[in-house]
Amino acid sequence: MISLENISWKAPGAGFSLRDVTLTIPDNTYAVLMGATGCGKTSLLEILCGLRQPDSGKIVLDDRDVTHLEPRGRRIGYVPQDLALFPGRRVRDQISFALQMRGQKDDHLITQLTIDLGITHLLDRLPDLLSGGEKQRVALARALAAQPRVLLLDEPLSALDETTRDEAMELLRSLQSKHALTVLHVTHSRSEAHALGQLHLRLEQGQIVHL
């Protein structure tokens, strides 16, 4: 479960802010968040995963207050809009990054994720040799390798063509079900929101509106 209680944050030097954002996303729910460009959707995801600290309010994940925890202590998988793959690292190292950071190794998990995402044949490739769809799958595998309970997706399909996007949406539905994930997915696409979302949200004037 994701629970935000009165989260407020003002962007330094920017014209927007988040104002008393209160939100609950039940366990194993696929939530979709929409809103105008520049309204703070990405900032809200970054606050959730610990990359930004709110000015006030509380973040609770699975009944645990994580407001002041570092990102690695929150059990959140995050796929940013630019995917943030590491240049110079092969796919196998990208995927195992979270485990390496914790001093762990799980070859079975990595193998299963690459099978599920159809990227086993890419393990020795560098990011600049991957297509947009392949990069997206690698970024998802890296996020899931941390075995998160919550998955945050920031416009993960925006760079894909129509055919690849349809395949990716089916993949996201399958992964959410298989891994029992609570998902918050930011998108500008109404068709994407309709196809994936069980809970539809909009960020307007710094506050969450249920649709």
Side-chain angles (χ1 to χ4, degrees):
M1 181 184 73
I2 300 172
S3 179
L4 301 179
E5 302 176 11
N6 303 113
I7 292 293
S8 293
W9 179 77
K10 185 171 179 59
F16 72 89
S17 61
L18 302 174
R19 298 184 294 109
D20 291 322
V21 172
T22 296
L23 167 68
T24 297
I25 302 175
D27 284 341
N28 305 337
T29 297
Y30 202 119
V32 175
L33 176 64
M34 302 185 75
T37 298
C39 71
K41 300 184 300 298
T42 295
S43 297
L44 185 61
L45 293 189
E46 291 175 344
I47 287 170
L48 259 170
C49 67
L51 296 177
R52 295 185 186 275
Q53 189 67 24
D55 296 330
S56 61
K58 186 176 177 182
I59 304 164
V60 177
L61 301 177
D62 292 334
D63 298 319
R64 186 170 61 121
D65 186 346
V66 301
T67 310
H68 302 292
L69 280 184
E70 293 184 2
R72 62 183 176 181
R74 300 190 181 204
R75 290 198 69 190
I76 289 179
Y78 177 42
V79 179
Q81 186 173 1
D82 64 1
L83 303 180
L85 296 181
F86 305 117
R89 287 196 180 203
R90 300 190 184 276
V91 167
R92 69 173 71 252
D93 296 323
Q94 305 271 355
I95 298 171
S96 61
F97 175 76
L99 292 173
Q100 292 171 0
M101 289 294 291
R102 296 195 303 227
Q104 298 175 351
K105 185 177 181 180
D106 191 335
D107 291 337
H108 174 74
L109 173 63
I110 301 302
T111 298
Q112 190 58 54
L113 284 172
T114 59
I115 292 171
D116 289 347
L117 287 150
I119 55 175
T120 303
H121 62 296
L122 303 176
L123 286 173
D124 291 318
R125 290 195 194 176
L126 294 169
D128 58 0
L129 298 177
L130 302 176
S131 69
E134 289 168 344
K135 288 178 180 178
Q136 183 242 10
R137 288 170 180 254
V138 171
L140 278 169
R142 183 179 64 185
L144 292 172
Q147 297 180 284
R149 292 278 294 135
V150 170
L151 182 62
L152 307 179
L153 305 172
D154 193 357
E155 301 221 37
L157 312 183
S158 59
L160 305 182
D161 59 53
E162 186 174 349
T163 300
T164 308
R165 187 181 298 116
D166 288 343
E167 294 173 353
M169 285 193 292
E170 185 58 40
L171 174 64
L172 287 173
R173 275 192 291 265
S174 173
L175 290 171
Q176 188 258 341
S177 176
K178 179 173 182 176
H179 294 274
L181 294 167
T182 304
V183 177
L184 181 57
H185 175 138
V186 166
T187 181
H188 280 103
S189 167
R190 291 185 181 277
S191 60
E192 197 174 300
H194 178 74
L196 290 168
Q198 298 168 307
L199 178 63
H200 294 84
L201 309 165
R202 187 171 186 86
L203 187 59
E204 292 183 355
Q205 298 182 346
Q207 295 186 315
I208 291 288
V209 178
H210 287 256
L211 301 179

